[in-house]
Amino acid sequence: MREIEELVRPNIKALKPYSSARDEFKGTATVFLDANENSYGSPLSTAYNRYPDPLQIDLKEKLSRIKGVPAGNMFIGNGSDEAIDILFRIFCEPRVDNVIICPPTYGMYEVSANINDVEVRKINLTANYQLNGEAILQAADSNTKMLFICSPNNPTGNAINAAEVEALVQHFDGIVVIDEAYINYSKQPSFINLLTKYPNVVILQTFSKAWGMAALRVGMAFAGDIIIKYFNKVKPPYNVNLSSQQQAIEALDNIEWVNTQIKETVSERQRLVDALRELTIVNKIYPSDANFILVKVVDAKAIYDYLAQRGIVVRDRSRVELCEGCLRITIGTPEENDIVIQTLAKY
Ligand SMILES: *Cc1c(COP(=O)(O)O)cnc(C)c1O
């Protein structure tokens, strides 16, 4: 197995990172004239004239107590999409290196690879949406740098078998990125515990789903010291704005609210499944550990249009390989779910 440092792009290893005013002065002071900020304040009720903490220390320390991960093993991004992009820039030499993804899965892995001009090798999930571990290891070569695993997986909704994930972490000679955007809705525990055992694991989580803060763009990556060191080297200096940092900190004081909504979403998920199962237009509902369900229907395109004409938007996944005929439906409020159920019943 290669060391993490051997997987890093040579230009990134050699990179001298941007040094901000806040990086260069760490003491206490009362007069800050080092960053060309507007000393007079902001034309707003809250002052936003100072650059935010580049390393989001307050947020990380608070998160640390909740996640049981040291603050030094966290990266906070402008959404987890930023973490995905930075991973490509750390590890993948454009037009030389490649990554492995397991479709059907989250679209950003491939888009981020394309933006970075990195080859994508696709090893489809099996018929029951689990990993094909043998094919993944066979597809890897010396230029394969990362493997993306999404659990619970989007758009299928299922959690990925934990023993199979750990076996891949052990045998895949590269970085294994485990995207847990939907972990809060899952019966299966987080893979975050793998971090203490394996240096090649990156866990992605986000404030965009269960935390209800998609608009604020706050994503998390948890990883070993070396990987976090490179995240901090490559990231834009002030990648998470002050308002988002503050609101994420405030949200962490309201875990009870989040847990209540998670319970409600999970119980609504079951209610929606039970109701849709009764409909003749529904052929199959895949088991979900997320806040959405993948539903195979008799005529996905027609049903999608029918719903859209009535102001209900779901996601048409029917042209996605292994999701033929399927719509992905996010779990709504009880009222919204009632509307979906009643409207579909009349189709
Ligand atoms: C929604 C989602 C994300 C979240 O991305 P953010 O940039 O944090 O909003 C990440 N991964 C998956 C699989 C998702 O479905």
Side-chain angles (χ1 to χ4, degrees):
M1 293 289 221
R2 292 170 287 185
E3 300 289 328
I4 303 302
E5 295 279 3
E6 292 175 73
L7 298 167
V8 175
R9 289 166 66 198
N11 66 313
I12 299 299
K13 270 179 110 153
L15 177 72
K16 191 177 169 299
Y18 179 74
S19 179
S20 69
R22 290 300 111 86
D23 290 328
E24 288 183 11
F25 181 80
K26 288 279 165 60
T28 48
T30 47
V31 182
F32 284 98
L33 302 176
D34 60 344
N36 297 346
E37 297 150 339
N38 188 332
S39 302
Y40 297 83
S42 323
L44 300 165
S45 51
T46 309
Y48 287 114
N49 56 317
R50 300 296 177 184
Y51 280 103
D53 176 5
L55 291 174
Q56 310 96 22
I57 296 301
D58 293 343
L59 173 54
K60 285 177 184 168
E61 282 178 354
K62 197 148 188 180
L63 262 177
S64 174
R65 277 171 251 138
I66 291 165
K67 299 285 176 188
V69 175
N73 293 103
M74 295 179 188
F75 162 80
I76 307 293
N78 188 2
S80 32
D81 287 347
E82 184 183 39
I84 294 167
D85 178 66
I86 293 179
L87 283 164
F88 276 99
R89 292 195 275 157
I90 296 170
F91 293 109
C92 297
E93 198 59 40
R95 269 156 293 178
V96 175
D97 289 335
N98 67 76
V99 300
I100 297 178
I101 68 170
C102 306
T105 193
Y106 185 45
M108 272 312 286
Y109 314 138
E110 184 169 9
V111 172
S112 223
N114 290 340
I115 290 168
N116 287 288
D117 210 352
V118 169
E119 182 199 343
V120 175
R121 298 187 176 178
K122 297 181 183 177
I123 303 299
N124 280 357
L125 295 175
T126 62
N128 55 352
Y129 297 148
Q130 291 296 326
L131 297 170
N132 187 341
E134 213 167 295
I136 288 169
L137 293 176
Q138 257 165 26
D141 62 21
S142 60
N143 291 319
T144 305
K145 295 294 188 70
M146 296 195 282
L147 164 64
F148 285 87
I149 297 172
C150 188
S151 179
N153 187 43
N154 179 4
T156 60
N158 61 294
I160 304 297
N161 182 287
E164 287 172 21
V165 170
E166 184 161 359
L168 275 168
V169 167
Q170 287 172 337
H171 296 114
F172 180 78
D173 187 10
I175 306 296
V176 179
V177 182
I178 307 174
D179 186 343
E180 297 190 327
Y182 301 98
I183 190 63
N184 312 73
Y185 302 104
S186 182
K187 291 181 292 296
Q188 182 168 293
S190 167
F191 287 103
I192 214 157
N193 295 332
L194 296 181
L195 288 173
T196 51
K197 264 166 96 180
Y198 306 104
N200 61 331
V201 172
V202 177
I203 305 284
L204 301 181
Q205 294 184 3
T206 181
F207 281 88
S208 295
K209 305 288 156 63
W211 287 90
M213 293 164 61
L216 290 173
R217 315 302 305 125
V218 185
M220 301 159 262
F222 306 103
D225 298 343
I226 300 173
I227 296 177
I228 295 297
K229 175 185 82 180
Y230 282 107
F231 262 114
N232 290 335
K233 209 173 170 187
V234 170
K235 81 183 190 69
Y238 305 109
N239 61 321
V240 182
N241 71 69
L242 177 63
S243 175
S244 294
Q245 291 188 40
Q246 289 172 335
Q247 302 209 61
I249 289 169
E250 187 183 329
L252 294 175
D253 285 328
N254 292 312
I255 277 197
E256 285 316 312
W257 184 93
V258 177
N259 286 338
T260 304
Q261 303 312 320
I262 291 167
K263 283 199 195 99
E264 171 143 18
T265 303
V266 168
S267 101
E268 279 295 299
R269 180 176 76 200
Q270 189 58 48
R271 190 173 73 87
L272 190 59
V273 167
D274 292 341
L276 295 186
R277 220 177 245 144
E278 299 299 313
L279 305 181
T280 52
I281 57 164
V282 171
N283 290 333
K284 179 164 184 166
I285 305 171
Y286 291 88
S288 172
D289 261 345
N291 66 338
F292 58 84
I293 49 175
L294 188 69
V295 184
K296 186 169 252 173
V297 290
V298 287
D299 187 345
K301 179 75 180 76
I303 292 173
Y304 175 87
D305 290 339
Y306 166 84
L307 289 173
Q309 279 154 15
R310 283 152 187 82
I312 303 164
V313 199
V314 298
R315 198 81 193 265
D316 182 2
R317 299 283 79 182
S318 61
R319 285 173 304 272
V320 173
E321 203 180 346
L322 292 176
C323 295
E324 290 83 3
C326 289
L327 300 176
R328 192 193 69 189
I329 306 177
T330 306
I331 310 304
T333 62
E335 297 73 27
E336 290 170 332
N337 299 329
D338 282 340
I339 293 171
V340 172
I341 293 163
Q342 287 156 13
T343 307
L344 282 175
K346 287 190 219 126
Y347 178 80

